[in-house]
C-alpha cells in the first residue's frame, strides 16, 4: 500500500528516524543492506528471538521480520521520533509492550484491491510470482484496520503523506495541551509545533491549519475513524 515509501518521506522531517528491521528474506535489487534492512539468516534471527532482543517480530510470507529493542529505545531516549514500517502483527506487539512513549499507529490502504495487485506486480519478477498469495493474505490482513489509531487510503502518495503529517501534528498539539500544566511552572514545553507544518487539503479529509489557540479535543476526534472512512474502506476494499 506504499507504507515503506511514506516512511522514507516522513523520515525527512526534523527529528525523525526510521527503525531498520531485521529480515530473513533476500534483498530486492533496489535495497541496500544495513540501510533498508539488516539481512540475516534464519539461525541468526532465531538467536535474536531466544535472547529476547526483539521489540516485535513476525513471520510474513514465509520470511521473518523483526525490530530489535535497543536501537529503538536509544533513539527514543535521545528525544528522536521513531518510525516503524511493520505489519499488524508487529504493531500489536509494540502496543502491548506499554512503553512510556506516545505511540501513533496508521493503517495504510490502497484505493482498491486492483491497485494493490498492480503495485505488487510492478516489483521484481520474484515478487510477481507471489502476488496472488499476497492478495489472499491482504483479504485477511485488512480486517485489522480497526485496531489502529488512523486509517489512511493511499490514492495519491503526496496527499497521503501530507494527510499523515497533519494527523501527527494534531497528535503533537494534543500532547502539548496535556503537558502544558506540568510545564508551565518551568516554562518548558516538550514539543515544538513548528516542526510539523500542516499543508493544504488532503482528499476527502480537509485538514484545518491548527494553531495552539484554536486546538480542541473536538477537532482531534473529528478526524479519527470517520464514518466516511469506514464506508470508503468497506466499499473499496472488502466488497471488491
Amino acid at each position: 500500500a506504499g507504507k515503506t515509501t511514506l516512511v522514507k518521506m516522513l523520515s525527512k522531517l526534523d527529528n525523525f528516524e526510521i527503525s531498520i528491521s531485521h529480515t530473513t528474506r533476500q534483498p530486492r535489487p533496489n535495497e541496500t543492506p544495513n540501510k533498508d534492512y539488516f539481512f540475516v539468516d534464519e539461525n541468526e534471527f532465531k538467536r535474536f528471538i531466544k535472547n529476547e532482543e526483539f521489540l516485535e517480530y513476525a513471520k510474513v510470507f514465509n520470511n521473518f521480520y523483526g525490530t530489535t529493542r535497543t536501537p529503538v529505545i536509544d533513539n527514543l531516549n535521545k528525544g528522536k521520533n521513531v518510525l516503524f514500517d511493520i505489519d499488524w502483527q508487529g504493531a500489536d506487539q509494540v502496543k502491548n509492550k506499554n512503553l512510556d512513549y506516545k505511540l501513533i499507529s496508521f493503517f495504510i490502504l490502497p484505493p482498491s484491491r486492483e491497485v494493490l495487485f498492480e503495485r505488487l506486480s510492478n516489483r521484481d519478477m520474484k515478487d510477481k510470482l507471489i502476488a496472488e498469495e499476497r492478495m489472499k493474505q491482504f483479504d485477511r490482513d485488512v480486517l485489522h484496520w480497526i485496531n489502529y489509531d488512523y486509517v489512511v487510503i493511499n490514492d495519491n502518495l503526496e496527499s497521503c503523506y501530507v494527510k499523515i503529517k497533519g494527523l501527527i501534528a494534531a497528535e503533537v498539539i494534543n500532547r502539548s495541551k496535556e503537558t502544558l500544566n506540568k510545564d508551565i511552572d518551568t516554562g518548558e514545553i516538550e514539543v515544538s509545533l513548528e516542526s510539523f507544518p500542516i499543508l493544504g487539503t488532503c482528499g476527502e479529509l480537509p485538514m484545518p491549519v491548527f494553531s495552539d489557540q484554536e486546538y480542541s479535543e473536538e477537532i482531534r476526534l473529528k478526524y479519527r475513524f470517520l464514518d466516511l472512512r469506514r464506508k470508503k474502506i468497506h466499499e473499496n476494499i472488502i466488497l471488491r
Side-chain angles (χ1 to χ4, degrees), residues 102 104 168-184 188-194 196 210-217 220:
K102 176 71 174 179
I104 311 171
I168 292 173
E171 291 280 358
V172 169
I173 295 171
N174 184 62
R175 182 63 178 269
S176 71
K177 286 290 189 180
E178 292 173 353
T179 60
L180 184 58
N181 290 335
K182 297 179 183 178
D183 298 333
I184 198 165
E188 296 178 357
I189 298 176
E190 294 183 359
V191 289
S192 172
L193 307 183
E194 294 178 359
F196 302 92
F210 294 105
S211 71
D212 196 48
Q213 291 75 27
E214 294 171 334
Y215 184 76
S216 69
E217 184 69 7
R220 178 166 172 253

Side-chain angles (χ1 to χ4, degrees), residues 1 61 110 112-121 127-142 236-237 240:
F61 303 117
S112 68
R113 298 182 79 258
E114 288 78 6
V115 170
L116 176 62
F117 184 77
E118 181 182 350
R119 291 174 182 174
L120 292 174
S121 299
D127 280 339
K128 289 182 180 180
L129 299 177
I130 64 171
E132 290 287 353
E133 179 186 348
R134 294 173 67 93
M135 293 302 298
K136 292 176 183 177
Q137 184 66 37
F138 172 76
D139 290 337
R140 296 188 290 270
D141 290 349
V142 73
N236 284 359
I237 305 295
R240 285 201 175 195

Side-chain angles (χ1 to χ4, degrees), residues 130-173:
I130 64 171
E132 290 287 353
E133 179 186 348
R134 294 173 67 93
M135 293 302 298
K136 292 176 183 177
Q137 184 66 37
F138 172 76
D139 290 337
R140 296 188 290 270
D141 290 349
V142 73
L143 300 177
H144 294 275
W145 69 271
I146 193 66
N147 297 322
Y148 284 68
D149 295 321
Y150 297 99
V151 176
V152 183
I153 296 176
N154 182 16
D155 46 7
N156 177 276
L157 186 63
E158 183 62 29
S159 66
C160 186
Y161 162 71
V162 173
K163 188 183 304 178
I164 292 173
K165 187 166 67 167
L167 290 167
I168 292 173
E171 291 280 358
V172 169
I173 295 171

